[in-house]
Amino acid sequence: MVDIFISHCVVDKKLAEKFVSFLKEAVGVPAKAIFCSSVGGHDIPLTVDFNQYMKDKIKKPKLVITLMTPRYMESWFCLMELGAAWSLSHKTLPIVVPPIKFNVVSSTLGLTQAWSLDNHDKLIHLRQTIRELDIQLENRTEQDWEKKRTAWKADLKRLLKDLAPASNVPASEHATLTEQLKIVEQERDSFEELYTESQVAIEELALLKNKDEAKAVLKKHGGKDAEEGLGDLISDVASFQQKWMTKSFFIDMIMDHRGKPSSINWYDADVKSMAETAIQKNYLDENPPHNVLWGGKLKKLSKALEAVDMFLSGESLEQLDEDTPTDSTDREFWEYHLG
């Protein structure tokens, strides 16, 4: 007979190996006291009948440990082992392995107290449970225990990440995914229609040389002309102006992004108040000369400014009216467009 029978799914072999190793090296369980069919030295000998051998081993163990992973819950053979432990009234330690939830225990083993494998505080309870089995344990010092427990915590995160996922999904989840697929397919069809329309527009534009005619074609196909496109990009930039900022203070920040920073007039009460607020809200560095912190919450504003630059560097620039400022490094550009 065997003292500890570890019920597990064969695809979870790496997790089973690590668990068996922990029992031996940290708790001191002798190798001969553990049966785990997937782990060398604790498995099934050659030439024996597999089913009969499994029946013999699960007859009278002092403890049955179940590694209840997603694949375990799908395996008929694993559930047979679980049922055998229940029917024979064996002392059983259900170990719930995320993402499996605790409710699977009450659905299979009733009110048996279980352990979630990622709850490291319960390792001490595992050791105590095994010590109460009347197994002749090998000596392990507290230093051995702490060292192996620390290693277990470090290794478990990787093991759970690599754990084989369930091959089946619940009916409710399948229905949700099917509905999501329909939505994606509808979006795909819409994009295909949009692409076809765009291709037609491009072909028509390629035949035109007059700017007004080009604008008319863009309107016809539901597109935006250059003025509208630039206006949208400017609106994106303007959305980052906070209520406590004046337009001038906001443009000062934009010009800093253009490599033309302004000094803060600390003698102007309004400017001083805004600058202090900007420092408190991490828009400006707290240390002189109080540079704008573009790497923090202003990262999105930085991208919006870069989008304006990219637009102005493209062919769309030729479609803008002659009186429209187009140099985003010039303060007058922002005073004009931000109004």
Side-chain angles (χ1 to χ4, degrees):
M1 294 302 123
V2 69
D3 291 319
I4 298 177
F5 183 103
I6 299 179
S7 176
H8 69 290
C9 184
V10 66
V11 297
D12 302 319
K13 178 180 178 181
K14 290 185 178 180
L15 178 61
E17 287 177 336
K18 181 61 66 174
F19 187 72
V20 169
S21 177
F22 182 79
L23 292 181
K24 293 190 296 183
E25 298 174 7
V27 183
V29 180
K32 64 181 181 181
I34 302 173
F35 175 75
C36 187
S37 61
S38 294
V39 180
H42 306 273
D43 52 356
I44 302 171
L46 295 175
T47 75
V48 304
D49 180 272
F50 176 86
N51 287 337
Q52 187 58 51
Y53 194 83
M54 295 294 287
K55 289 179 182 178
D56 292 341
K57 288 297 180 182
I58 206 170
K59 280 182 179 178
K60 294 183 180 180
K62 294 179 179 178
L63 177 66
V64 174
I65 297 177
T66 62
L67 295 178
M68 302 174 78
T69 66
R71 286 296 184 88
Y72 184 96
M73 302 310 300
E74 291 180 350
S75 168
W76 289 106
F77 200 90
C78 290
L79 295 180
M80 285 170 57
E81 293 177 354
L82 190 66
W86 174 80
S87 65
L88 295 171
S89 299
H90 289 329
K91 184 179 182 68
T92 303
L93 171 59
I95 299 181
V96 176
V97 182
I100 295 298
K101 306 297 183 183
F102 273 109
N103 62 349
V104 303
V105 179
S106 58
S107 300
T108 54
L109 294 171
L111 300 179
T112 301
Q113 293 298 297
W115 166 38
S116 182
L117 193 60
D118 58 348
N119 183 352
H120 302 303
D121 293 338
K122 293 294 184 179
L123 288 171
I124 191 70
H125 296 278
L126 171 68
R127 181 172 67 164
Q128 185 60 36
T129 296
I130 294 174
R131 283 179 171 178
E132 294 172 355
L133 295 177
D134 193 28
I135 299 174
Q136 190 63 40
L137 300 178
E138 298 171 357
N139 182 52
R140 296 290 183 269
T141 65
E142 285 301 311
Q143 289 81 359
D144 292 332
W145 165 253
E146 289 300 330
K147 182 178 179 180
K148 296 301 179 182
R149 184 165 64 161
T150 300
W152 167 264
K153 293 178 183 179
D155 293 339
L156 185 61
K157 185 175 181 180
R158 173 183 54 80
L159 287 169
L160 293 181
K161 182 179 179 182
D162 296 337
L163 199 68
S167 58
N168 300 314
V169 296
S172 58
E173 185 176 344
H174 179 269
T176 300
L177 293 173
T178 300
E179 192 62 32
Q180 291 175 350
L181 178 60
K182 290 180 180 178
I183 295 173
V184 171
E185 289 176 340
Q186 291 172 354
E187 292 177 347
R188 178 204 61 196
D189 294 340
S190 297
F191 282 127
E192 287 180 350
E193 292 177 5
L194 181 61
Y195 173 77
T196 301
E197 292 177 2
S198 299
Q199 289 299 104
V200 173
I202 289 172
E203 291 174 2
E204 293 183 15
L205 286 170
L207 300 174
L208 302 176
K209 294 182 180 180
N210 183 280
K211 181 171 68 174
D212 292 333
E213 291 179 351
K215 288 184 178 181
V217 170
L218 287 172
K219 288 288 187 181
K220 171 185 172 183
H221 291 281
K224 298 179 180 179
D225 61 23
E227 293 286 350
E228 289 177 302
L230 178 59
D232 287 347
L233 293 174
I234 295 297
S235 295
D236 288 342
V237 172
S239 68
F240 291 96
Q241 181 183 346
Q242 304 300 306
K243 292 181 179 179
W244 48 268
M245 296 179 185
T246 62
K247 189 74 66 180
S248 179
F249 188 88
F250 184 56
I251 294 177
D252 284 344
M253 292 175 54
I254 292 175
M255 296 310 296
D256 178 273
H257 191 271
R258 295 300 184 258
K260 298 179 179 180
S262 303
S263 58
I264 299 172
N265 183 4
W266 295 102
Y267 297 102
D268 185 314
D270 292 335
V271 173
K272 179 176 182 292
S273 175
M274 281 185 287
E276 290 174 343
T277 300
I279 291 171
Q280 294 169 0
K281 292 181 177 291
N282 292 330
Y283 282 77
L284 300 180
D285 189 352
E286 62 180 340
N287 299 314
H290 308 292
N291 295 323
V292 180
L293 299 174
W294 292 105
K297 60 172 64 175
L298 292 175
K299 188 176 294 185
K300 290 184 178 180
L301 172 58
S302 177
K303 290 185 179 299
L305 292 170
E306 291 169 1
V308 171
D309 294 339
M310 184 175 296
F311 179 90
L312 293 173
S313 65
E315 297 180 359
S316 300
L317 189 63
E318 299 176 358
Q319 301 173 17
L320 295 173
D321 293 336
E322 294 179 358
D323 296 333
T324 301
T326 58
D327 183 2
S328 63
T329 66
D330 189 332
R331 187 181 185 90
E332 289 185 357
F333 173 92
W334 296 105
E335 291 174 344
Y336 175 89
H337 288 287
L338 292 176

